[in-house]
Amino acid sequence: MNARSKTKAYAEEVALNTKIEVRKRDVERILSAIMNNSNFWKIVQLSEEPVPVVAELIKIMERDGFVAIEGDQIKFTDDGKALCKDEGIEPLHIHSCPTCSGRTVILDESLKEPYDKFLELHVERPEAIRQYDQAYVTPETTFSRIALADSRGDIRNKDVIVLGDDDMVALALAITRLPRRIVMLEIDERIVDFQRRKAKELGLSNLEVRRHDLRKPLPEDLLGQFDVFFCDPPETVAALAAFVGRGVATLRGMGGAGYFGLTSSESSFAKWRRLEQVLLDKGLVITDIIRNFNEYVNWGYAEEMLAWKLAPVKVKPTENWYYSSIFRVEVVNEIPVSNEDLTDSDIYNDAESSTV
Amino acid sequence: MNARSKTKAYAEEVALNTKIEVRKRDVERILSAIMNNSNFWKIVQLSEEPVPVVAELIKIMERDGFVAIEGDQIKFTDDGKALCKDEGIEPLHIHSCPTCSGRTVILDESLKEPYDKFLELHVERPEAIRQYDQAYVTPETTFSRIALADSRGDIRNKDVIVLGDDDMVALALAITRLPRRIVMLEIDERIVDFQRRKAKELGLSNLEVRRHDLRKPLPEDLLGQFDVFFCDPPETVAALAAFVGRGVATLRGMGGAGYFGLTSSESSFAKWRRLEQVLLDKGLVITDIIRNFNEYVNWGYAEEMLAWKLAPVKVKPTENWYYSSIFRVEVVNEIPVSNEDLTDSDIYNDAESSTV
């Protein structure tokens, strides 16, 4: 086997074992990431590849003597280094902007006061629990979403709905007092209670909080009533289609906008393409994709998730490692969306999901 | 007519007159932009709407007494202000990062030396001419493309092709000495000569410059030979499909990546959606869309272009106003692309193009 085909052969083996579409280029990305960092979670983050793919590749490269696991460090052996050299793999050089962390927007003077207020409240927020597949973003991420949407004209005097709000976007929006109306739907009673209580304490009359299971049809009175939606759906094609569909159903139609996140850790680019096709089929145009915009705070149930079981090294992540890209979509073709009940359909799992 | 339907009615009238898909939301974006700035070119830039749409809306709102043109300033009359208030239109608040200008990446220490060298050469570059529909980006933009592509692992030790290179991406890449091979194709002999001469003077042996008309089939020896392509295609659906298709034809297949720009000034979001469908149909996933990444230097033939004829105020732009978003795509499905001759097909014009 010549060097050129080694990464290709590994791609094929990993694809076979994980049932995920994996190509030579994906293997190369993981090798580049191992050159940059020896921590499993950092390798996942830098490679922007699904957790099961990264774990499987490391496992078989260890078997073949190209990778060694020393304590909790993942490193190339001399043979591994030679392989990288043969295949022309280079370490990653990331030129991310240190001011905005690559988000394109900053929390400038006009957002400072509401952001400080939000930070005060945030320390009291309920912790992420596994029952609802939760993992929330940093307060800076939540406010950066608002800065981005405001830069697109999607906040001031607009009617905004937040579908599932572990990230406290609705509460943050209410604190800015910029939207005309904010409605938030969430299944977790703890989050519903927290936002309701804080809204009352701060006199945020523009925020309406409702307990609702998004697998169930949306309440009729919310259909076609909003300018903008935010959501953070599970990443199977079926779940993303269903949740974005719910979002589109709440919009007034043409020109309505939506924001949601999509990771590389749970979704290969092959899956991204299928998800993008779903968006276009719903009459949406994709207007922004900003890589790794959303930074998630490490959650308490790390050791219970599949990713932990897959990890070749059982070391808890110390730094945040789970990121997602933000998508902005806008309605340019009105296509009817259904409001069906999804309670009994299994839309949450596929081969690439590992943090549930 | 109630206030709610006024912007809708204008959208319909502008759509009828321009043959471009225009919605209420597009009209709102232009009104927001007029609240921010009174210069025609800045209004186009801020609204992110096609030039013909902005020009037509201003014309009919002037007719109806909502907009007044005072000297070279475009302003709302009192009636216009009342209309905006009734419809809940707010000025734009853009929170763009001042460090990276919203590009996500910076030209850090590792790129400083080649960038300085590039700046020295750039002053001698040939000017943009109308014959080839040219408009080139700032040197900072050219290098920011390299910073972005390097952050995605698309530069070091890679084989890169640049299809049409008014922006001097190939020369800039050669100066970094990071790619393994760089090939540049360009129709304009002045640019071919300039890059060839500079490559020789600087001993940049990794850069190969060829004069080629991209409407003609690609030379056979360049098909399937590259990891990454850059191009900056004309923005009709047919031209973008053809140029991106050429790019894909040069790639080694799965995992190959491409970069190109797309404006709002020449393309409505409705057209963006059709273009995105073309990308997915070619087996590509869209991995990044960074708004207004590319800043174009005002070109010398402004008064000859259609946009000038359309402009309600004949004042030359003093600041750069023409921006485009950068798209990164990656091959996740190998779909055969044709290499046909397009010399005799009219792929350059549609209702939305105005700067040719």
Side-chain angles (χ1 to χ4, degrees):
Chain A
M1 192 185 292
N2 68 29
R4 268 284 150 203
S5 62
K6 195 80 193 163
T7 42
K8 190 151 192 279
Y10 275 135
E12 284 160 14
E13 189 175 352
V14 173
L16 194 71
N17 296 353
T18 60
K19 314 268 183 288
I20 299 172
E21 289 167 78
V22 182
R23 283 79 189 243
K24 186 172 186 296
R25 184 80 174 83
D26 300 297
V27 169
E28 289 170 358
R29 269 194 273 262
I30 298 167
L31 299 187
S32 282
I34 299 173
M35 287 177 136
N36 283 59
N37 208 294
S38 60
N39 176 278
F40 178 69
W41 305 105
K42 280 284 165 193
I43 293 167
V44 170
Q45 181 196 337
L46 289 168
S47 68
E48 302 190 43
E49 293 289 338
V51 173
V53 172
V54 180
E56 184 64 19
L57 179 68
I58 290 170
K59 199 180 91 184
I60 63 181
M61 289 191 79
E62 191 193 11
R63 174 198 71 195
D64 294 351
F66 291 118
V67 159
I69 297 178
E70 300 169 9
D72 54 13
Q73 310 275 297
I74 295 157
K75 290 183 173 171
F76 284 118
T77 60
D78 287 344
D79 282 354
K81 284 176 199 160
L83 171 73
C84 290
K85 193 156 186 283
D86 283 350
E87 303 239 352
I89 312 285
E90 298 274 343
L92 265 177
H93 287 74
I94 295 175
H95 306 277
S96 189
C97 174
T99 306
C100 67
S101 306
R103 289 194 180 103
T104 76
V105 288
I106 54 159
L107 307 184
D108 49 18
E109 211 40 56
S110 67
L111 292 172
K112 200 183 170 315
E113 204 181 307
Y115 179 55
D116 287 345
K117 171 60 74 185
F118 183 68
L119 281 179
E120 270 174 44
L121 305 184
H122 200 267
V123 294
E124 302 170 41
R125 61 154 295 152
E127 276 313 305
I129 52 174
R130 195 184 176 201
Q131 182 189 349
Y132 299 121
D133 183 24
Q134 290 170 339
Y136 59 81
V137 297
T138 62
E140 195 181 352
T141 300
T142 297
F143 252 77
S144 296
R145 286 185 195 160
I146 295 175
L148 177 66
D150 194 31
S151 301
R152 299 287 177 266
D154 289 334
I155 299 292
R156 285 164 209 257
N157 220 359
K158 298 291 181 185
D159 298 337
V160 183
I161 190 164
V162 184
L163 302 166
D165 197 19
D166 199 16
D167 296 334
M168 307 286 168
V169 174
L171 183 61
L173 281 168
I175 292 171
T176 68
R177 296 178 191 267
L178 295 173
R180 187 165 55 185
R181 179 187 183 198
I182 306 154
V183 173
M184 183 279 251
L185 302 182
E186 167 62 48
I187 191 171
D188 184 351
E189 203 149 24
R190 302 172 312 144
I191 295 174
V192 168
D193 289 345
F194 178 75
Q195 292 207 23
R196 205 174 264 160
R197 198 170 68 242
K198 290 302 168 191
K200 200 171 170 195
E201 283 172 22
L202 297 168
L204 306 171
S205 56
N206 56 350
L207 173 59
E208 181 192 338
V209 177
R210 297 194 197 178
R211 186 160 188 219
H212 180 80
D213 179 348
L214 283 165
R215 291 172 304 174
K216 296 200 186 303
L218 289 169
E220 287 287 330
D221 67 311
L222 298 179
L223 301 178
Q225 300 298 313
F226 296 88
D227 301 302
V228 180
F229 72 85
F230 287 86
C231 65
D232 208 6
E235 300 201 355
T236 63
V237 176
L240 188 123
F243 281 73
V244 171
R246 294 264 194 262
V248 172
T250 67
L251 296 178
R252 294 205 165 91
M254 226 61 117
Y259 293 82
F260 60 90
L262 190 58
T263 72
S264 297
S265 296
E266 314 249 14
S267 300
S268 64
F269 280 146
K271 192 163 105 184
W272 274 45
R273 174 166 171 266
R274 290 195 295 275
L275 295 169
E276 290 173 353
Q277 187 60 62
V278 166
L279 300 173
L280 300 190
D281 288 346
K282 289 192 188 300
L284 300 166
V285 58
I286 307 165
T287 69
D288 300 83
I289 303 178
I290 308 170
R291 206 74 86 83
N292 298 329
F293 186 100
N294 297 304
E295 178 186 356
Y296 293 78
V297 177
N298 287 331
W299 48 96
Y301 60 92
E303 284 147 309
E304 298 165 41
M305 66 188 180
L306 178 60
W308 179 263
K309 223 176 101 184
L310 295 172
V313 177
K314 307 301 176 200
V315 53
K316 272 182 117 166
T318 47
E319 286 175 65
N320 294 337
W321 65 278
Y322 191 83
Y323 284 74
S324 75
S325 300
I326 198 163
F327 276 61
R328 180 183 182 277
V329 291
E330 187 171 316
V331 180
V332 289
N333 261 42
E334 280 188 273
I335 292 172
V337 281
S338 83
N339 191 21
E340 64 193 325
D341 194 313
L342 299 161
T343 319
D344 297 322
S345 46
D346 177 25
I347 57 172
Y348 289 99
N349 288 293
D350 65 15
E352 304 181 27
S353 47
S354 70
T355 64
V356 294
Chain B
M1 191 185 293
N2 67 29
R4 269 282 150 205
S5 63
K6 195 79 194 163
T7 43
K8 191 152 191 280
Y10 276 135
E12 285 160 13
E13 189 176 352
V14 173
L16 194 72
N17 296 353
T18 60
K19 314 267 182 291
I20 299 172
E21 288 167 78
V22 183
R23 284 79 189 241
K24 187 172 185 298
R25 184 79 173 86
D26 301 297
V27 169
E28 289 170 357
R29 269 194 273 263
I30 298 167
L31 299 188
S32 282
I34 298 174
M35 286 177 137
N36 283 61
N37 208 293
S38 59
N39 177 279
F40 178 70
W41 306 104
K42 279 286 165 190
I43 292 167
V44 170
Q45 181 195 337
L46 289 168
S47 68
E48 300 190 44
E49 293 288 339
V51 174
V53 171
V54 180
E56 184 64 20
L57 179 68
I58 290 170
K59 199 180 91 187
I60 63 181
M61 289 191 79
E62 191 194 11
R63 174 199 71 194
D64 294 350
F66 292 118
V67 159
I69 297 178
E70 301 168 10
D72 55 12
Q73 310 275 298
I74 295 158
K75 289 182 174 171
F76 284 119
T77 60
D78 287 341
D79 281 354
K81 284 176 198 160
L83 171 73
C84 289
K85 194 155 184 280
D86 282 350
E87 304 239 354
I89 313 285
E90 298 273 344
L92 266 177
H93 288 75
I94 296 175
H95 307 277
S96 188
C97 175
T99 306
C100 66
S101 306
R103 289 195 180 103
T104 76
V105 288
I106 55 160
L107 308 183
D108 49 17
E109 210 42 54
S110 67
L111 292 172
K112 200 184 169 313
E113 204 181 306
Y115 179 55
D116 287 345
K117 172 57 74 185
F118 183 68
L119 280 179
E120 271 174 44
L121 306 184
H122 199 267
V123 294
E124 301 171 41
R125 60 154 296 152
E127 275 315 304
I129 52 174
R130 194 183 176 202
Q131 183 189 350
Y132 299 120
D133 183 24
Q134 288 169 340
Y136 59 80
V137 298
T138 62
E140 195 182 351
T141 300
T142 296
F143 253 76
S144 296
R145 285 186 196 161
I146 294 175
L148 177 66
D150 194 30
S151 301
R152 299 286 177 267
D154 290 333
I155 299 293
R156 284 163 208 258
N157 221 359
K158 300 291 182 185
D159 297 338
V160 183
I161 189 164
V162 184
L163 303 167
D165 197 19
D166 199 16
D167 296 333
M168 307 286 169
V169 174
L171 183 61
L173 281 168
I175 293 171
T176 68
R177 296 179 191 267
L178 295 173
R180 185 166 58 185
R181 179 187 184 199
I182 306 155
V183 174
M184 183 279 252
L185 303 182
E186 168 62 47
I187 191 171
D188 183 353
E189 202 149 26
R190 302 172 312 144
I191 295 173
V192 169
D193 288 346
F194 178 76
Q195 293 207 24
R196 205 173 264 159
R197 197 170 67 243
K198 291 301 167 189
K200 199 171 173 194
E201 283 172 22
L202 297 168
L204 306 172
S205 56
N206 56 349
L207 173 60
E208 181 193 335
V209 178
R210 296 195 196 176
R211 185 160 190 219
H212 181 79
D213 179 348
L214 283 165
R215 292 172 302 174
K216 297 200 186 300
L218 289 169
E220 287 287 329
D221 67 312
L222 298 179
L223 300 178
Q225 299 298 313
F226 296 88
D227 301 303
V228 180
F229 72 84
F230 287 85
C231 66
D232 208 5
E235 300 202 355
T236 63
V237 176
L240 187 124
F243 282 71
V244 172
R246 295 264 194 262
V248 172
T250 68
L251 296 178
R252 293 206 165 89
M254 227 60 116
Y259 293 82
F260 61 89
L262 190 58
T263 72
S264 297
S265 297
E266 314 250 12
S267 300
S268 62
F269 279 146
K271 192 162 105 185
W272 273 46
R273 175 165 171 266
R274 291 195 294 275
L275 295 168
E276 290 173 354
Q277 187 61 60
V278 167
L279 301 173
L280 300 190
D281 289 345
K282 288 192 188 300
L284 301 166
V285 59
I286 308 165
T287 69
D288 300 82
I289 304 177
I290 307 171
R291 205 75 86 82
N292 298 330
F293 186 100
N294 298 304
E295 177 186 357
Y296 293 78
V297 177
N298 287 332
W299 48 95
Y301 59 90
E303 284 148 309
E304 297 165 42
M305 67 187 179
L306 177 60
W308 178 264
K309 224 176 98 184
L310 295 173
V313 177
K314 307 300 177 201
V315 53
K316 274 183 117 166
T318 48
E319 286 175 64
N320 295 338
W321 65 277
Y322 191 82
Y323 283 75
S324 75
S325 301
I326 198 163
F327 275 60
R328 179 183 182 277
V329 291
E330 188 171 317
V331 181
V332 290
N333 261 42
E334 280 189 272
I335 292 171
V337 281
S338 83
N339 191 21
E340 64 194 326
D341 195 313
L342 298 161
T343 319
D344 296 322
S345 46
D346 177 25
I347 56 172
Y348 289 98
N349 288 293
D350 65 16
E352 304 181 27
S353 48
S354 71
T355 64
V356 294

